[in-house]
Amino acid sequence: MKTRTVVHMPSLVLSSCLVFSLACTVFAHQAPHKFLHCVQSHNSESISQVIYSKNNSSYLSNLLFSIQNIRFISPSMPKPAFIVIPFTESQIQAVVLCSKASGLQVRVRCGGHDYEGLSYSSHVPFVIIDLRNLSSIRIDAKKRVAWVEGGALLGNLSYQIAKRSGNLAYPNGLCPTVGVGGHFSGGGYGTLLRKYGLAADNVLDARIINANGEILDRKSMGEDLFWAIRGGGAASFGVVTAWKIRLVKVPDIVTVFTVNRTLEQNATDLVHRWQYVADKFDRDLFVRILVTRVNSSHHKEKTTVQAAFNSIFLGKIDRLLPLMQESFPELGLVQEDCKEKRWIEAVLYFSDLPDGSTLDDLTNRNPNPKTYYKAKSDFVQVPIPKHGLKGLWKFFDEDEAADAQLIFAPYGGRMSEIPESQIPFPHRAGNIYEIQHLAYWDNERNKQAERYINWLRRLYEYLTPFVSKNPRAAYLNYRDLDLGVNNDGNTSYKQASVWGTQYFKNNFKRLVEVKSKVDPSNFFRNEQSIPILST
Ligand SMILES: Cc1cc2nc3c(=O)[nH]c(=O)nc-3n(C[C@H](O)[C@H](O)[C@H](O)COP(=O)(O)OP(=O)(O)OC[C@H]3O[C@@H](n4cnc5c(N)ncnc54)[C@H](O)[C@@H]3O)c2cc1C
Ligand SMILES: *[C@@H]1O[C@H](CO)[C@@H](O)[C@H](O)[C@H]1NC(C)=O
Ligand SMILES: *[C@@H]1O[C@H](CO)[C@@H](O)[C@H](O)[C@H]1NC(C)=O
Ligand SMILES: *[C@@H]1O[C@H](CO)[C@@H](O)[C@H](O)[C@H]1NC(C)=O
Ligand SMILES: *[C@@H]1O[C@H](CO)[C@@H](O)[C@H](O)[C@H]1NC(C)=O
Ligand SMILES: *[C@@H]1O[C@H](CO)[C@@H](O)[C@H](O)[C@H]1NC(C)=O
Ligand SMILES: *[C@@H]1O[C@H](CO)[C@@H](O)[C@H](O)[C@H]1NC(C)=O
Ligand SMILES: *[C@@H]1O[C@H](CO)[C@@H](O)[C@H](O)[C@H]1NC(C)=O
Ligand SMILES: *[C@@H]1O[C@H](CO)[C@@H](O)[C@H](O)[C@H]1NC(C)=O
C-alpha cells in the first residue's frame, strides 16, 4: 500500500498545480507538516489516534471504506493528505482550524453516497473528515424526538427507533447505508413523504462547527443558517455533528406490495394512468414505479420494459383494497399481492439489501456490493403523454440499458402543503412526481463508462419537453455535475445560478446571502457548493 500511494503522489501535486500554478508545488509539500503540527498543538487529546496520512497502513482501506460509487475509485483519483476519523467535536474543531491555517480544503463524509464523490475527492490538497465514529443515536420515545450524530446512517436510525417503539419512524430515504449528514442536509425523502414530507422538514435543531471552529446550535447559529442546512447541503456551511429530529407516527401494521407489469401487460397505459392518481391518493398510500429492462416471457430472445409498482400503505389490507379499487382499479391489485408487516419489516422490504437479510442487517455499514453508476433527476408537472412514454421505453432497447433504472416517486399530500421557501428544498405543490434516471455498469464494462453516461445524457435530453422547465428542476441529493460546477473559489453568482436555481429555484439567492454572511472566506467549498457574493 505504501508503494501505491507513493506512486500516486505526483499526480496529486500535478493536478492541483494545473489549477494553482507553481506556488502550490511548494505549498502541497509543506501543508501536511504545518497541518500536523497545528492539530497537535490545538488538541493533544488523542488526535494522533484519529489522523491517517498516506504513511499509515490503513490509509487506503479507510479511504475506500464508504465510497459507494466505485466510478470514483481509480489510481488517478486525487487522494486526501489526511483522513481524520474523529470521535469528539473538539477533534473536528482542531481539524477545521488547522486545515484553514495550512491551506488545505476539507471534505466531510458521512455515508459516502454522494453521487459525484464530492465527500471524498478534490482536485486541490485536502483533508477528509469522516464522521463514521460519531454516529450514536439517542431516542426519547416519550417526547418523540431523537438526537442523531452527524455520522449515523439511515438503517441504524430506523433500527434504533424500532427498538424503542413500533409506532415511531422517521420520514427518510430507503437505502440503509445513506448517511444522515448528506441526506438530511440535502432534503431526504422516502416512503413517508406524502404523509410527513422530507427528512429535512422534520429537523428541530442541529449542532454545526463553522469555519471559525465554533460549535453552534439552532439558537446560536440563528434561523438563516438553520434554514440553509435543511436542504441547501451542509457541505457549504460547516460540519454538522448532530441533528435533533421529530419522530412521526406509524401504525402497528402496514401493507406492502409490488405489482410488476411489462409492456405486453399494459405497462404503458398503467404508467400513464398512474400519473393522474399517484399524487392524489390518500396520503397513507405511496406507490412508486421502478422501470427496468427484463427478458420477455412472450418472445424468447427478446427483452421488454417492466414497470414495478412498488408500494406501501400505512394501514391494513382490508382498507387498502377498496381504496385501490376506487383510485387505481386498472392495476388490478388483489389480496394475494399484499403483505402485512410491522413498519421496521417494511423498511427492510424497501431497503434493497440482499435476499435473506434480517433486521440486524439494517445496521451493517457495508452490506451491498458496490457499483458504478451515474444519475440525474427530473420533476414532472404535467403527465407525460403515451407517445412520450413509448419513446422513453425505446432507450431500453439499447445495450447500455441492460442494468439501467428509472424511479418514479410520487409527490402530493404533505409535500404540496409546505411552502417552497420553508426550507431550501423547493420542489413542492405542482409536482406530480420526481424521476431519478440511473445508468449502471460493471467492472468489465467500465472501460466503456462513457457509453453508459452518454446513454443517460441522451435520455435526459429526450425528456426535455416532458419535464419541468425554467428552470428544469433537479434534486440536490441526486447530485449531477453535468448541471454546472464552480471554479475553485472564484464563481460568480450568475454562473452558479445556472445549476443553483435548478436545485433551489428562488431559494438559491437566500442561500448565497446566508453563505456570504456565515463563511465569507468561502472555506467550505466544493465543485457545487453555494458561492459567496463577490464584493
Ligand atoms: C443507493 C442509494 C439510495 C439512495 N436512496 C435515497 C432515497 O431513498 N431518498 C433520498 O432522498 N436520497 C437517496 N439517496 C441519495 C442520498 O440522499 C444522497 O446521496 C445523500 O447526500 C447521501 O448522504 P451521505 O451522507 O451518505 O453522503 P456523503 O457522500 O457522505 O455526503 C454527501 C454530501 O453531504 C456532505 N456531508 C455529509 N455529511 C455531512 C455533515 N455531517 N456535515 C456537513 N456536510 C456533510 C458531504 O460533504 C457531501 O457534500 C440514495 C443514494 C444512494 C447511493
Ligand atoms: C499513523 O502513523 C503514525 C506513525 O507513522 C502514528 O504515529 C500514528 O498513530 C498513526 N495513526 C493512526 C491513526 O494509526
Ligand atoms: C511519511 O513518511 C515519510 C518517509 O518516512 C516522511 O518523510 C514524511 O514526512 C511522512 N509524512 C507524514 C505526513 O507523516
Ligand atoms: C472510534 O472511537 C473509539 C473511541 O470512542 C476508538 O477506540 C476507536 O478506535 C475509533 N474507531 C476508529 C475506526 O477510528
Ligand atoms: C447504531 O446506533 C447505536 C446507538 O447509538 C450505536 O451504539 C451503534 O454504534 C450504531 N451502529 C452503527 C453501525 O453505527
Ligand atoms: C418484480 O420485479 C422486481 C424487479 O424489478 C423483482 O425483484 C420482483 O421479484 C418482482 N416481483 C414479483 C412479485 O414478481
Ligand atoms: C390497459 O389499461 C387501460 C386503462 O388505462 C384499459 O382501458 C385497458 O382495458 C387495459 N388493457 C388490458 C389488456 O388490460
Ligand atoms: C435474460 O436472457 C439472457 C439471454 O437471452 C440471459 O443471459 C439473462 O440471464 C436473462 N436474464 C434474466 C434476469 O433472466
Ligand atoms: C477567476 O475567474 C476569472 C474568469 O472566469 C479568471 O479570469 C480568473 O483568472 C480567475 N481567478 C482565479 C484566481 O482563479
Side-chain angles (χ1 to χ4, degrees):
M1 273 177 202
K2 258 186 196 165
T3 350
R4 229 185 122 143
T5 50
V6 171
V7 169
H8 298 313
M9 193 56 190
S11 71
L12 175 85
V13 174
L14 188 72
S15 58
S16 47
C17 292
L18 287 177
V19 182
F20 270 144
S21 86
L22 198 71
C24 93
T25 315
V26 181
F27 194 54
H29 285 302
Q30 282 170 356
H33 292 285
K34 208 171 160 192
F35 175 83
L36 279 180
H37 195 253
C38 174
V39 284
Q40 270 147 11
S41 64
H42 259 88
N43 183 307
S44 49
E45 173 214 336
S46 59
I47 193 99
S48 65
Q49 294 161 31
V50 300
I51 297 187
Y52 298 83
S53 77
K54 296 182 181 190
N55 288 355
N56 292 88
S57 59
S58 52
Y59 169 87
L60 203 58
S61 59
N62 279 321
L63 176 62
L64 300 182
F65 180 74
S66 63
I67 292 183
Q68 299 295 332
N69 190 345
I70 52 177
R71 178 154 70 100
F72 301 105
I73 301 181
S74 73
S76 61
M77 172 179 112
K79 297 187 178 57
F82 300 99
I83 302 163
V84 187
I85 308 181
F87 58 86
T88 66
E89 286 180 331
S90 68
Q91 291 167 341
I92 301 173
Q93 292 177 291
V95 171
V96 166
L97 290 172
C98 295
S99 301
K100 202 172 169 188
S102 49
L104 293 166
Q105 256 188 36
V106 156
R107 293 293 159 112
V108 183
R109 184 164 74 177
C110 177
H113 281 65
D114 192 284
Y115 280 19
E116 300 280 9
L118 301 192
S119 57
Y120 50 83
S121 70
S122 166
H123 289 282
V124 299
F126 72 111
V127 176
I128 293 178
I129 301 179
D130 185 319
L131 294 173
R132 72 182 202 243
N133 214 4
L134 258 181
S135 55
S136 76
I137 296 163
R138 279 189 295 132
I139 291 159
D140 187 335
K142 241 200 202 132
K143 292 200 177 121
R144 288 207 277 136
V145 297
W147 271 103
V148 183
E149 284 189 319
L153 305 187
L154 300 184
N156 201 24
L157 176 57
S158 303
Y159 184 86
Q160 300 297 334
I161 295 171
K163 253 177 40 182
R164 304 297 302 276
S165 166
N167 295 118
L168 293 177
Y170 198 61
N172 56 238
L174 312 182
C175 173
T177 54
V178 164
V180 300
H183 189 69
F184 292 6
S185 75
Y189 75 90
T191 59
L192 294 174
L193 102 157
R194 302 194 61 250
K195 179 129 181 174
Y196 295 114
L198 306 169
D201 291 326
N202 292 278
V203 168
L204 300 171
D205 202 340
R207 288 171 70 82
I208 187 169
I209 296 177
N210 69 10
N212 297 326
E214 296 157 337
I215 301 175
L216 307 173
D217 65 3
R218 177 173 184 169
K219 196 156 172 250
S220 51
M221 81 177 83
E223 288 302 304
D224 275 342
L225 180 53
F226 184 62
W227 174 84
I229 60 173
R230 289 173 295 154
S236 300
F237 300 97
V239 184
V240 173
T241 58
W243 305 97
K244 184 185 184 183
I245 59 176
R246 175 179 44 229
L247 304 179
V248 301
K249 286 189 173 156
V250 287
D252 289 328
I253 298 294
V254 302
T255 303
V256 298
F257 65 89
T258 302
V259 170
N260 294 344
R261 296 285 187 260
T262 60
L263 295 185
E264 292 80 6
Q265 296 165 325
N266 218 0
T268 306
D269 286 339
L270 291 169
V271 173
H272 183 254
R273 178 69 193 146
W274 172 89
Q275 300 176 103
Y276 291 85
V277 293
D279 64 320
K280 299 180 190 72
F281 282 146
D282 187 303
R283 57 184 73 183
D284 285 340
L285 182 57
F286 174 90
V287 179
R288 67 172 185 160
I289 304 178
L290 312 176
V291 177
T292 52
R293 180 163 104 187
V294 297
N295 287 340
S296 170
S297 54
H298 288 62
H299 316 272
K300 278 210 160 60
E301 318 270 301
K302 270 196 164 173
T303 62
T304 182
V305 174
Q306 173 182 276
F309 294 82
N310 182 222
S311 321
I312 183 167
F313 176 64
L314 300 175
K316 292 188 180 173
I317 297 176
D318 60 355
R319 192 157 72 90
L320 169 64
L321 289 176
L323 214 146
M324 283 294 283
Q325 189 50 42
E326 186 194 315
S327 315
F328 195 20
E330 298 86 350
L331 188 63
L333 184 75
V334 293
Q335 173 136 12
E336 291 68 45
D337 297 322
C338 304
K339 281 194 209 82
E340 290 183 346
K341 289 178 181 287
R342 289 182 291 140
W343 165 255
I344 189 66
E345 293 166 342
V347 170
L348 183 62
Y349 180 83
F350 278 94
S351 69
D352 209 23
L353 287 173
D355 285 346
S357 298
T358 64
L359 294 181
D360 286 341
D361 294 322
L362 290 171
T363 65
N364 186 344
R365 289 192 88 103
N366 246 325
N368 281 341
K370 311 228 166 136
T371 50
Y372 297 89
Y373 62 92
K374 164 77 188 159
K376 301 173 88 66
S377 60
D378 265 313
F379 288 85
V380 178
Q381 299 171 334
V382 177
I384 300 178
K386 284 184 193 173
H387 73 84
L389 293 173
K390 286 178 184 157
L392 184 55
W393 308 153
K394 285 218 179 76
F395 282 85
F396 283 82
D397 293 337
E398 300 183 31
D399 288 346
E400 292 84 350
D403 296 318
Q405 189 176 43
L406 304 179
I407 304 177
F408 293 17
Y411 273 46
R414 180 76 189 123
M415 289 298 280
S416 299
E417 294 168 353
I418 299 175
E420 282 194 6
S421 60
Q422 178 110 343
I423 63 170
F425 180 101
H427 317 292
R428 306 286 187 174
N431 292 293
I432 303 174
Y433 63 104
E434 174 176 4
I435 308 180
Q436 179 177 200
H437 324 286
L438 287 147
Y440 289 99
W441 58 96
D442 60 18
N443 212 7
E444 206 176 298
R445 295 177 291 174
N446 193 38
K447 283 181 221 75
Q448 298 177 309
E450 279 306 315
R451 268 182 53 193
Y452 295 86
I453 295 172
N454 285 334
W455 176 86
L456 192 72
R457 287 179 180 149
R458 282 189 289 111
L459 181 148
Y460 186 75
E461 196 53 43
Y462 166 79
L463 280 173
T464 308
F466 303 114
V467 297
S468 64
K469 297 172 187 60
N470 305 313
R472 182 173 186 172
Y475 173 33
L476 181 69
N477 270 340
Y478 297 155
R479 192 192 302 287
D480 178 7
L481 293 186
D482 292 354
L483 304 181
V485 293
N486 293 326
N487 306 325
D488 187 60
N490 180 24
T491 297
S492 71
Y493 173 73
K494 198 166 158 246
Q495 284 170 315
S497 294
V498 174
W499 52 265
T501 54
Q502 292 189 267
Y503 288 138
F504 307 115
K505 298 192 188 172
N506 293 332
N507 295 332
F508 183 61
K509 189 158 181 284
R510 182 169 172 200
L511 282 169
V512 173
E513 286 162 7
V514 177
K515 169 74 178 177
S516 307
K517 205 170 70 187
V518 304
D519 184 17
S521 73
N522 200 13
F523 172 65
F524 288 107
R525 64 182 187 273
N526 61 42
E527 288 78 349
Q528 262 183 2
S529 57
I530 305 297
I532 50 170
L533 284 166
S534 49
T535 40

